[in-house]
Amino acid sequence: MKKIGLIGGITWQSTQLYYQLLNTKVAETLGGSSSCECLIESVNFAEISEKQGKGDWDSLHEKMADIALRLQNAGAEVILICANTMHLSVPIITQKIAIPILHIAEVAGEAVKAKGCQKVLLLGTKYTMELDFYKDILKNQFQIEVLIPSKEDREVVHDVIYHELSKGIITEESKKKYLDIIGKAEKEGAQGVILGCNEIPLLIQQEDCTIAVIDTTKEHAHAAVKFALA
């Protein structure tokens, strides 16, 4: 089993989901008392969030790359960033490490194709929805048409992530807002919705929707186990 290095704390709510999913999948695959061999370095989300808000991406890229290098030096054989948005740092990280990093947008693209979808809604932080780093992979590598919510709805999605889900707050009101946004995209022809923030699965699951739901946290974790056990 290859050792998985996780960059966590972005947020700890989603990082605990990763830990649970990784260990559950290893146990299902290998049986018995098997569990995942992994390392986690967890950051202070308040610091990350503040720098994101200021647009200080250069220092965030450097921080992510330094953590990845520490995980590699500690014995990690593959890197997972437990946050969709911070995959912005992947080009910088890959310059510093010699081990693979599993890009969540590529994993999401594979999952979308497996579900037979060609047009999907992308939900996530405003950075994930508005910047091109995620959408370009879906479009260019997988020929997936990507919809994003209106500006007003993007603010709703983003605010729920940062002010509720990141703190473990789950409300029916916010769930309804998300489902209304998903419903609008379905009317525009979306065949699926990518939960492109690792906290959104705390709020939205497949049983809530009539279109395909791509849970990037689960897909990413399962891809890591497949890689680790290959």
Side-chain angles (χ1 to χ4, degrees), residues 191-205:
Q191 301 160 309
V193 53
I194 295 176
L195 307 185
C197 171
N198 300 90
E199 287 75 31
I200 298 178
L202 296 168
L203 189 66
I204 300 295
Q205 290 85 40

Side-chain angles (χ1 to χ4, degrees), residues 38-52:
C38 64
L39 300 165
I40 303 174
E41 180 164 336
S42 195
V43 301
N44 179 0
F45 181 63
E47 177 192 337
I48 302 295
S49 179
E50 181 182 1
K51 288 184 177 181
Q52 288 176 337

Side-chain angles (χ1 to χ4, degrees), residues 147-203:
L147 302 177
I148 61 171
S150 67
K151 187 176 190 306
E152 181 181 344
D153 285 344
R154 293 199 299 272
E155 290 297 330
V156 170
V157 172
H158 182 86
D159 286 347
V160 169
I161 291 167
Y162 276 76
H163 301 305
E164 297 178 20
L165 300 181
S166 67
K167 301 174 182 177
I169 299 170
I170 313 296
T171 71
E172 284 300 317
E173 180 184 0
S174 292
K175 185 171 189 171
K176 184 180 184 304
K177 289 177 181 176
Y178 269 54
L179 292 176
D180 286 346
I181 292 167
I182 293 168
K184 291 176 188 176
E186 187 174 1
K187 289 178 181 176
E188 293 181 44
Q191 301 160 309
V193 53
I194 295 176
L195 307 185
C197 171
N198 300 90
E199 287 75 31
I200 298 178
L202 296 168
L203 189 66

Side-chain angles (χ1 to χ4, degrees), residues 12-22 198-202 215 217 221:
W12 71 263
Q13 301 288 343
S14 60
T15 304
Q16 68 175 346
L17 285 178
Y18 268 95
Y19 190 69
Q20 181 181 32
L21 287 162
L22 289 168
N198 300 90
E199 287 75 31
I200 298 178
L202 296 168
D215 179 342
T217 307

Side-chain angles (χ1 to χ4, degrees), residues 102-117 120 134 137-139 141-144 194 214-216 219-220 223 226:
L102 292 185
H103 200 301
I104 200 165
E106 294 179 348
V107 171
E110 295 285 0
V112 169
K113 285 300 191 183
K115 291 179 182 291
C117 301
V120 296
Y134 206 101
I137 288 175
L138 296 172
K139 292 175 184 176
Q141 293 188 31
F142 298 94
Q143 292 73 55
I144 296 166
I194 295 176
I214 293 84
D215 179 342
T216 57
E219 297 290 349
H220 202 205
K226 183 177 180 181

